[in-house]
Amino acid sequence: MASTLSRLGNWFNERAPGFMPMYRKHMTEYYAPKNFNLWYYFGSLALLVLVNQIITGIFLTMNYKTSAAEAFNSVEYIMRDVEWGWLIRYMHSTGASLFFVVVFLHMFRGIMYGSFKKPRELVWVLGMLIFLALMAEAFMGYVLPWGNMSFWGAKVIISLFGTIPFIGDTLVQWIMGDYLPADSTLNRFFALHVIALPLVLLLLVVLHLAALHEVGSNNPDGVDVKHGPKGNRWSPDKPTDAIPFHPYYTVKDSFGVGFFLMIAAFIIFFAPTFGGWFLEHDNFTPANNLVTPTHIKPSWYFTPFYAILRMIPSFLGTAVWGVLGMFGAILLLGLLPWIDRGEVRSVRYRGLGFRIGLAVLVISFLALGLVGAGVTAELIPVWFPGADVTTVENAFGRLMVLGYFGFFVFLFIYTHFGFEKTKPVPERVTTHD
């Protein structure tokens, strides 16, 4: 068997001589810091979920109908009559939500440990482009089941472009292909969701990984691994305090994958709707342009940005400021390498102000998610009997908007004008055992 595999390997290498050097560069000879912790699982988990979404999406397209008259029924056909169709559909819908869970945690780790700082600015910007493409992909996929919330969600989100001066109304009709979401909307969203955006996502992921492997991975200490005369135990010319990605981190990531799959399987088999968070109850009824859901809201992973849109009031007779605020909230994340000029990367050694600011950012983001999902509107009458729900919700939501944007303003002033008092940073990563 060993001889046969060796001959096959030689045969392959003779015909694809560039494959093995590429494999070694990105796997066995890619040295990653040896002090990775729990937060470093989420990058590989995001790649895992991306593969799941592509594979399950392929099977779903085999029975889906891109027609306003048949789309909802085709999804019901998949759920009820296609062999294992219910499992494929729930793997895809649960995977969409879990994708954003791991991506949000992956982004938080990058902010916490300063992975956006020099020389990894390009890695961060490519990651933010992946995030934007993922949001577009998720929105278009959300419309395809053609439930009632899908229909009204599409109408509301696409109508946001109507706030653009002069060309807004024309742009809305051009995107929808009609005066209301209809067959043409489904057809173009299906094409973008199934073909165009997955190709963009895959290209950006490859570029993201390639850029990362050019500059090397960051670590919880935010300290670059050392290149010196001592080297490491494997080779004297390799980085100190670093180990080959394969097999060490591929084995470690396999443990994280196993644990993640158990959580995903529990949700798929026992709580696929996740109480209406992963699959809204209104989406189990067909789209109807005459019946508006009680509360129109997007999927949970869009709710923080939707809340920003809602909480910013109209000014000078236009609602464009809310739209600008919503997109600005994402743009500011992409500009972090230039907003934060702190000399220290990791939160472990940064000043107290940065830690408090990061906590405010997280709390504000989560609270905005609750506002956008309508949870606060349900809790206010319970916590504050007799209070005007709209007034209290607007006050709370606008405070959280200030907290979110305030983080970036504070970070710019805090780091550009030298107010940050940092702790001593170690010369080497602190885990050597």
Side-chain angles (χ1 to χ4, degrees), residues 277-298:
W277 286 89
F278 286 8
L279 288 173
E280 292 88 346
H281 302 306
D282 284 311
N283 249 8
F284 287 93
T285 58
N288 190 335
N289 62 357
L290 300 178
V291 179
T292 308
T294 306
H295 300 288
I296 298 177
K297 58 183 185 296

Side-chain angles (χ1 to χ4, degrees), residues 54-338:
I54 292 173
I55 294 175
T56 55
I58 290 171
F59 282 99
L60 289 175
T61 59
M62 295 178 182
N63 293 283
Y64 177 76
K65 305 290 186 181
T66 55
S67 162
E70 298 178 294
F72 182 85
N73 290 334
S74 70
V75 175
E76 290 299 301
Y77 172 74
I78 291 170
M79 292 290 294
R80 299 171 186 274
D81 296 325
V82 174
E83 194 77 14
W84 299 106
W86 62 271
L87 178 61
I88 300 297
R89 196 271 175 103
Y90 282 152
M91 286 175 66
H92 197 74
S93 61
T94 302
S97 288
L98 293 182
F99 207 161
F100 278 93
V101 169
V102 297
V103 166
F104 282 141
L105 292 173
H106 188 57
M107 292 167 62
F108 173 71
R109 188 265 296 165
I111 298 173
M112 182 169 60
Y113 291 144
S115 298
F116 54 86
K117 288 180 172 290
K118 185 180 179 180
R120 300 179 179 87
E121 298 97 329
L122 180 60
V123 179
W124 179 260
V125 170
L126 287 169
M128 288 307 304
L129 292 176
I130 291 173
F131 182 59
L132 284 172
L134 182 61
M135 293 180 76
E137 173 80 349
F139 168 66
M140 292 177 184
Y142 178 75
V143 175
L144 295 183
W146 211 237
N148 208 31
M149 188 64 80
S150 292
F151 174 87
W152 286 99
K155 188 176 187 306
V156 169
I157 298 301
I158 297 174
S159 296
L160 295 179
F161 293 95
T163 61
I164 300 175
F166 306 114
I167 63 170
D169 292 338
T170 303
L171 185 60
V172 168
Q173 293 179 26
W174 179 74
I175 294 172
M176 287 195 296
D178 208 327
Y179 295 104
L180 288 173
D183 280 354
S184 54
T185 315
L186 272 178
N187 281 317
R188 60 192 59 185
F189 277 24
F190 180 79
L192 291 170
H193 180 75
V194 173
I195 301 173
L197 286 171
L199 291 175
V200 172
L201 268 174
L202 288 172
L203 174 62
L204 289 172
V205 167
V206 170
L207 293 175
H208 183 65
L209 292 174
L212 173 67
H213 286 201
E214 286 298 319
V215 296
S217 299
N218 190 29
N219 61 81
D221 285 318
V223 179
D224 291 330
V225 294
K226 297 296 184 287
H227 298 257
K230 290 185 178 180
N232 59 35
R233 73 176 70 177
W234 290 276
S235 178
D237 61 344
K238 297 302 180 183
T240 308
D241 302 331
I243 54 178
F245 185 81
H246 177 75
Y248 296 99
Y249 279 120
T250 50
V251 171
K252 183 178 180 180
D253 284 348
S254 65
F255 171 79
V257 166
F259 189 77
F260 176 80
L261 289 178
M262 285 193 295
I263 296 175
F266 179 85
I267 296 172
I268 290 169
F269 289 110
F270 295 101
T273 66
F274 213 71
W277 286 89
F278 286 8
L279 288 173
E280 292 88 346
H281 302 306
D282 284 311
N283 249 8
F284 287 93
T285 58
N288 190 335
N289 62 357
L290 300 178
V291 179
T292 308
T294 306
H295 300 288
I296 298 177
K297 58 183 185 296
S299 294
W300 69 267
Y301 35 82
F302 293 141
T303 52
F305 307 105
Y306 178 64
I308 293 173
L309 168 72
R310 283 181 50 205
M311 291 300 112
I312 296 179
S314 299
F315 183 67
L316 297 178
T318 177
V320 71
W321 308 107
V323 178
L324 292 176
M326 180 178 67
F327 287 108
I330 303 171
L331 177 63
L332 285 173
L333 288 171
L335 294 177
L336 264 177
W338 297 274

Side-chain angles (χ1 to χ4, degrees), residues 305-370:
F305 307 105
Y306 178 64
I308 293 173
L309 168 72
R310 283 181 50 205
M311 291 300 112
I312 296 179
S314 299
F315 183 67
L316 297 178
T318 177
V320 71
W321 308 107
V323 178
L324 292 176
M326 180 178 67
F327 287 108
I330 303 171
L331 177 63
L332 285 173
L333 288 171
L335 294 177
L336 264 177
W338 297 274
I339 293 174
D340 183 2
R341 287 299 183 181
E343 297 179 357
V344 175
R345 291 176 185 154
S346 175
V347 69
R348 292 180 176 181
Y349 310 107
R350 297 202 66 163
L352 179 63
F354 177 82
R355 299 183 182 190
I356 295 174
L358 185 60
V360 170
L361 175 70
V362 173
I363 293 170
S364 300
F365 187 79
L366 295 176
L368 285 169
L370 296 178

